[in-house]
Amino acid sequence: MDLQSKNALIFGGASGIGWATAKALMALGAEVAIADVRTPSESSGAQYIPCDVRDEVQVSEAVRRATESRPLDWLVYSTGIQQYGSVVSTTVEEYDLVQAINARGAFLACRAAIPAMRNGGAIVLVSSVQALACQEGVAAYAASKGTLEALTRAMAVDHAKENIRVNAVLPGTVDTPMVRSSAERFSGVDGLEQTLQQWGDDHPLGRVAHADEIANLITFLLGEKASFITGASYRADGGLLAQLAVRL
Ligand code: BMA
């Protein structure tokens, strides 16, 4: 894969799917900058840029720093929080917070990054299967993930002439800090690992994903082998959405 000497910026790259992607891209020789509110817990060789994606100035500054010496080739947007509630029980503040971090930040990141992709480029937004089908009580989260999917198509159409491809990945349940904090919330007496296993059981493959498995798909979509793929959404969900709840 032609990843040598590519310049990549990953929003939300300090943990979870973003961190797995940072490691995968670095292993293939790319230069990687991580923009995140949190510092990565392990050292990686990536450039770390503190950034709150709710703030337009910080997002622009992150792009500026990642592209000081060279154009940007790849952008990954992998920030996410999950709040629980229906439309009625979700507060306006919670809704705005989820939109700001999960979706509006992607708009800000792409708005700043696309002009820096002077040689063309590729963008991957990390959405969720919950953009297509959802659990109870995730109104704000599902709406934010649906926004990412629609934004993916809009940007793919608008920036194809600049040779910029834009795709979305839609993971099922992945073993990340975000999902672990959800599991903790719902685990009760069963304990966190048991809850994760139960959530995994809902997927036909019988387990939750490792973040690396999602990073592999992102890496593919960024690379040359995906050169004719744009405006697309790829599920990596262990078969979750292929299955009806009806059992024999
Ligand atoms: C993800 C998260 C997980 C959930 C999974 C499948 O985006 O919302 O908490 O388990 O979707 O619904």
Side-chain angles (χ1 to χ4, degrees):
M1 199 179 286
D2 173 27
L3 296 178
Q4 209 66 31
S5 82
K6 295 289 190 183
N7 191 20
L9 172 59
I10 305 178
F11 283 88
S15 65
I17 294 168
W19 172 248
T21 304
K23 284 191 295 185
L25 297 183
M26 280 185 299
L28 291 165
E31 280 194 31
V32 176
I34 287 170
D36 205 308
V37 273
R38 283 158 306 175
T39 326
S41 55
E42 297 164 52
S43 73
S44 60
Q47 178 189 7
Y48 170 63
I49 305 168
C51 177
D52 183 338
V53 294
R54 292 174 293 179
D55 182 347
E56 182 188 349
V57 174
Q58 290 186 40
V59 171
S60 299
E61 177 62 10
V63 171
R64 191 194 63 75
R65 285 183 57 187
T67 57
E68 247 161 7
S69 54
R70 45 195 305 217
L72 189 66
D73 301 298
W74 293 332
L75 176 73
V76 177
Y77 192 82
S78 183
T79 71
I81 59 164
Q82 185 153 236
Q83 304 262 337
Y84 289 90
S86 68
V87 157
V88 174
S89 64
T90 298
T91 65
V92 175
E93 291 73 23
E94 282 169 337
Y95 187 84
D96 286 346
L97 181 68
V98 172
Q99 278 291 334
I101 294 174
N102 293 10
R104 180 176 177 273
F107 160 73
L108 295 179
C110 294
R111 192 168 191 279
I114 288 172
M117 292 181 154
R118 293 189 294 279
N119 301 329
I123 299 173
V124 173
L125 304 185
V126 180
S127 175
S128 164
V129 284
Q130 301 222 55
L132 303 178
C134 66
Q135 306 164 204
E136 283 180 23
V138 291
Y141 180 84
S144 72
K145 294 301 188 175
T147 301
L148 290 180
E149 262 222 285
L151 193 60
T152 294
R153 292 187 286 266
M155 295 193 298
V157 169
D158 286 339
H159 299 288
K161 53 188 165 305
E162 293 142 66
N163 196 28
I164 295 170
R165 298 181 299 102
V166 191
N167 293 293
V169 299
L170 282 60
T173 310
V174 187
D175 190 347
T176 61
M178 185 192 83
V179 165
R180 281 184 171 261
S181 87
S182 295
E184 208 167 341
R185 175 187 168 140
F186 292 106
S187 60
V189 288
D190 286 341
L192 191 151
E193 298 299 332
Q194 180 74 17
T195 302
L196 277 183
Q197 182 54 53
Q198 279 164 12
W199 290 357
D201 290 343
D202 292 336
H203 299 62
L205 286 181
R207 61 176 176 85
V208 302
H210 301 296
D212 293 348
E213 295 176 298
I214 312 303
N216 288 340
L217 175 58
I218 295 170
T219 303
F220 166 73
L221 288 170
L222 292 172
E224 272 307 302
K225 287 192 173 148
S227 53
F228 203 57
I229 301 176
T230 196
S233 295
Y234 280 78
R235 289 189 283 117
D237 67 353
L240 188 63
L241 261 59
Q243 179 175 258
L244 292 175
V246 182
R247 289 177 196 275
L248 293 176

